[in-house]
Amino acid sequence: MPQPKPKVVLGVSGGIAAYKACELLRRLTESGHDVRVVPTASALRFVGAPTWSALSGNPVSTEVWDAVHEVPHVRIGQEADLVVVAPATADMLAKAAHGLADDLLTNTLLTARCPVIFAPAMHTEMWEHPATQENVATLRRRGAVVVEPAVGRLTGVDTGKGRLPEPAEIFEVCRRVLARGVTEPDLAGRHVVVSAGGTREPLDPVRYLGNRSSGKQGYALARTAAARGARVTLIEANTGIPDPAGVDVVHVGTAVQLREAVLKAAADADAVVMAAAVADFRPATYAEGKIKKKEGEEPAPVALVRNPDILAEISADRPRPDQVVVGFAAETDDVLAHGRDKLRRKGCDLLVVNEVGERKTFGSEENEAVILGSDGTETHVPHGPKEALADTLWDLIAPRLV
């Protein structure tokens, strides 16, 4: 007997980004979800009801007076497995935070007992206003997942924070929340810092020393943390991957730049997860011009100097003693022995140890690892999606957060 489709309510409030919700709706329906769109009256000024109905295959209404015999203002929220509001305007966040119920969507939010996700979209000044920030804090405190808006082009010529994240990224948050099946996000109210990718150390204007890290594991950690309610700062080095929804992203290139960004972000963080592959060395000198190949001559040796040990530094000098610090160790042989030694030397709380090599870990969508704890614990994570490893790691981090 086929399993029933998860019931998702897609709330759409009245912002210009409402047109992007059509793409989110398509992704939800095509991945096997039964979606009921509940737009506000102002949202219908941007995208009409026939569009929502045709894309979802379900009727669309905005008023509690439509189909009264079905008691929609109660039933829609009661029967939902997930409610996602995208875009969520400043007005909608205010109504939700204060429990107002003047239309079908706000009534649905009051009756829902499932996970609720808000994807805000508005001008920067509106997002940064103390009233909006207090409303967001209230919703998060009550267990809602409020993803951080993206930075980019807004309505008209304005640019800044407040742009609706890409629908594909909002969909990933929805998928992760549904997969966990947990109403209360366990990282709500927490600030976590995740590094991802691989640093590049310039040798000349066209060459650098680098590594094979794709950044996919770090991005999986950032996405899963956001889906579990955390405020996430992702510090990425040379990944080329689109920014995840609901995540503040800082772009860096070198190990020195990564150190500066991590130390700044870690100042108020509850947890720091160093998933990036940081170069141990960098060229001692930088050639201002391209190093030329000279006929009949061997190249001059490249002198190297040590890069700062970021993991050891933040482990030893934490802004507060209860901050949880996690490292990663990519090894090619004697994996656990080297991992235990690194855990001891670095002084972190958890160390994710995995074996790397051709067709292993780097660039793959899957991973397997052993997570070593400073308390002597070992957690084996079998081969599977990098998201599974990410969730296991957050499962171990969450109880350690005071």
Side-chain angles (χ1 to χ4, degrees), residues 163-228:
R163 181 183 176 89
L164 186 73
E166 291 304 311
E169 292 295 333
I170 301 174
F171 170 73
E172 287 300 317
V173 175
C174 295
R175 189 175 64 82
R176 293 308 307 159
V177 170
L178 278 168
R180 280 183 55 77
V182 178
T183 302
E184 294 293 331
D186 58 352
L187 295 179
R190 303 293 190 176
H191 176 211
V192 302
V193 176
V194 178
S195 68
T199 61
R200 295 177 180 177
E201 311 302 323
L203 179 62
D204 65 19
V206 298
R207 301 182 180 91
Y208 60 84
L209 298 181
N211 58 66
R212 298 169 55 126
S213 178
S214 66
K216 291 179 179 179
Q217 185 62 72
Y219 272 67
L221 284 158
R223 287 191 179 99
T224 52
R228 294 169 74 149

Side-chain angles (χ1 to χ4, degrees), residues 7 27 41 71 77 95 107 137 139 159 247 250 272 283 286 293 318 327 337 348 356 359-360 372 399 401:
K7 294 182 178 294
R27 288 178 178 271
V71 200
K95 289 179 177 179
N107 274 270
L139 292 169
T159 299
V247 173
V250 179
V272 180
Y286 173 76
K293 179 175 62 176
R318 308 183 195 203
C348 51
V356 298
R359 296 180 295 278
K360 291 182 180 179
L372 304 177
L401 300 175

Side-chain angles (χ1 to χ4, degrees), residues 172 175-176 179-180 194-198 211-225 228 239 241 273 275-277 328 330 352-369 371 381-395:
E172 287 300 317
R175 189 175 64 82
R176 293 308 307 159
R180 280 183 55 77
V194 178
S195 68
N211 58 66
R212 298 169 55 126
S213 178
S214 66
K216 291 179 179 179
Q217 185 62 72
Y219 272 67
L221 284 158
R223 287 191 179 99
T224 52
R228 294 169 74 149
T239 65
I241 304 175
V273 181
F328 272 66
V352 182
V353 185
N354 49 29
E355 185 178 359
V356 298
E358 285 292 331
R359 296 180 295 278
K360 291 182 180 179
T361 302
F362 286 145
S364 171
E365 301 295 336
E366 299 181 325
N367 203 351
E368 61 180 301
I371 304 174
V381 183
H383 189 266
K386 289 185 173 179
E387 286 180 345
L389 173 57
D391 266 326
T392 300
L393 184 56
W394 291 122
D395 287 344

Side-chain angles (χ1 to χ4, degrees), residues 233-251:
T233 300
L234 174 64
I235 301 169
E236 77 85 35
N238 310 297
T239 65
I241 304 175
D243 294 350
V247 173
D248 288 321
V249 182
V250 179
H251 301 281

